[in-house]
Amino acid sequence: MSSTRTASGKTSGRNGTWRNWGGNVSARPAREVTPASVEELAEAVRRAADDGLRVKAVGTGHSFTSIAATDGVLIRPHLLTGIRAIDRDAMTVTVEAGTPLRRLNLALAREGLSLTNMGDIMEQTVAGATSTGTHGTGRDSASVAAQIRGLEMVTADGSVLNCSDRGTDEERAVFAAARIGLGALGVVTAITFAVEPLFLLTAREEPMAIERVLAEFDELWTENEHFEFYWFPHTGSTNTKRNNRSAGPERPVGRLQGWFEDEFLSNGVFGAANLVGRAAPAAIPAIARISSRALSARTYTDTPYKVFTSPRRVRFVEMEYAVAREAVVETLRELRAMLDRSRLRISFPVEVRTAPADDITLSTASGRDTAYIAVHMFRGTPYQAYFTAAERIFTAHGGRPHWGKIHTRDAEYFSRVYPRFGEFTALRDRLDPDRLFRNDYLRRVLGP
């Protein structure tokens, strides 16, 4: 097999090294497979089982955990792309698992359709994004996986399994878990999403003092369909964003303004500032104060994926925890107090988003209205002390870590914070009794 250029810019081939986007995870698979059909993928799974090799599928490597790492067979679904079918009566779209979210959003917009909600980047494949619980922010609309209406996947015996919420009891049980399946139940080959007619969102972005945001958080959440904010450590400043549906007209960010604010400031200048901060940590508080004042208020109206997503060209590593929504203000106050007491110097803002409760077995929002707190560190900067201190606060509030972002929790912890954890592991026992899809990460988070 010839080598291939991955989305993270790293080259991997037969017996080569695969690395994730954040650069903190690498693996050396025994072989890579790039199937061009479901049948080829199923055959690759059966062959791996015959050869005694584990199997993992990997998309664009945007997870910061080793959830996709393997020393066995690495399946790259990049030829399994495109829309299979659009059902305008049911308002669904069925898409191949390796399709990047960017391509899906562009194709849907051309058809006058849209997903209801999105995360903040479009680089992941649909299977990678949903399998790890990728989400945006929303008062009423939930994660990308919560918009799934049907799944197709290849299981450990090489058979193709279809499931939905309209099938048999067994199919519904699989569907409840497989929407965020962590790659533990099989290799997803196609996903059917609910869609709706294309609509417009008006985004209102403006700086706001952190104390005001915390004092008015419930009001800001209640009054907006999508509310999020970024707090700049070592400052009292945030940048808030409110997205709400609009009757129009469409008023996108101007090309020059968009380049200046989203590329030059948010990526170019921010990246340079982080390089300075990594070399001279004592300068970080001053840099943070400048960064917090760099972006001014703006309002624009555009198609949903252009409002929900932003370019992310500055590489970082990330930890994100989901806490009960009513606990988010107290959790943030504790995080802020910890940073004020510490000698830590943090150059990346803390991101806060929300999601309504859903019914997915291992969703971070399963069974409870949720708020997400994400902490980041510039790639190449030691992050362990910061993430350890933050994780101690998050877990004290019963936090659930994002499956694709750095954390240290294990199966014993998850069995306490996920009431339906046993349902997932029992289903895994039925679908993959020999643990064909196991790796070290799954062994830790799901148990042996």
Side-chain angles (χ1 to χ4, degrees), residues 89-307:
D89 293 328
M91 288 303 286
T92 61
V93 59
T94 300
V95 61
E96 302 278 356
T99 307
L101 284 166
R102 178 181 301 278
R103 181 174 173 185
L104 173 61
N105 279 289
L106 290 170
L108 288 177
R110 286 195 297 268
E111 296 289 336
L113 301 169
S114 177
L115 296 172
T116 298
N117 203 351
M118 271 282 297
D120 58 7
I121 61 172
M122 296 195 293
E123 310 313 318
Q124 310 108 308
T125 61
V126 294
T130 56
S131 294
T132 55
T134 294
H135 63 89
T137 189
R139 181 191 60 205
D140 308 306
S141 53
S143 69
V144 181
Q147 299 168 71
I148 295 175
R149 295 296 175 265
L151 273 173
E152 176 189 272
M153 66 180 181
V154 172
T155 56
D157 62 1
S159 62
V160 179
L161 184 153
N162 286 279
C163 61
S164 73
D165 58 359
R166 299 182 304 278
T168 65
D169 289 346
E170 172 66 16
E171 288 172 347
R172 289 198 299 273
V174 174
F175 181 71
R179 282 176 286 172
I180 299 179
L182 315 184
L185 306 178
V187 179
V188 175
T189 51
I191 300 175
T192 299
F193 290 104
V195 293
E196 58 178 297
L198 189 64
F199 56 95
L200 293 174
L201 284 174
T202 292
R204 175 183 169 192
E205 300 175 6
E206 65 176 329
M208 191 179 293
I210 180 67
E211 284 302 329
R212 180 183 168 192
V213 172
L214 297 182
E216 300 177 8
F217 182 82
D218 286 343
E219 179 182 341
L220 290 164
W221 173 81
T222 300
E223 293 180 351
N224 295 282
E225 294 177 73
H226 310 273
F227 174 70
E228 63 185 303
F229 69 92
Y230 296 84
W231 166 56
F232 296 83
H234 315 299
T235 80
S237 302
T238 75
N239 195 47
T240 64
K241 185 174 182 179
R242 287 167 261 197
N243 301 331
N244 291 285
R245 294 196 182 214
S246 171
E250 187 173 332
R251 289 195 179 95
V253 176
R255 182 174 296 181
L256 180 58
Q257 181 187 8
W259 174 84
F260 181 73
E261 295 178 344
D262 298 327
E263 290 290 353
F264 180 71
L265 290 180
S266 296
N267 285 291
V269 172
F270 185 63
N274 272 275
L275 287 170
V276 172
R278 188 169 66 186
I284 286 176
I287 293 171
R289 288 190 292 272
I290 295 170
S291 296
S292 69
R293 295 193 295 266
L295 297 177
S296 57
R298 65 178 183 177
T299 300
Y300 55 95
T301 301
D302 214 331
T303 52
Y305 75 88
K306 295 178 183 179
V307 174

Side-chain angles (χ1 to χ4, degrees), residues 186 254 407:
H407 66 89

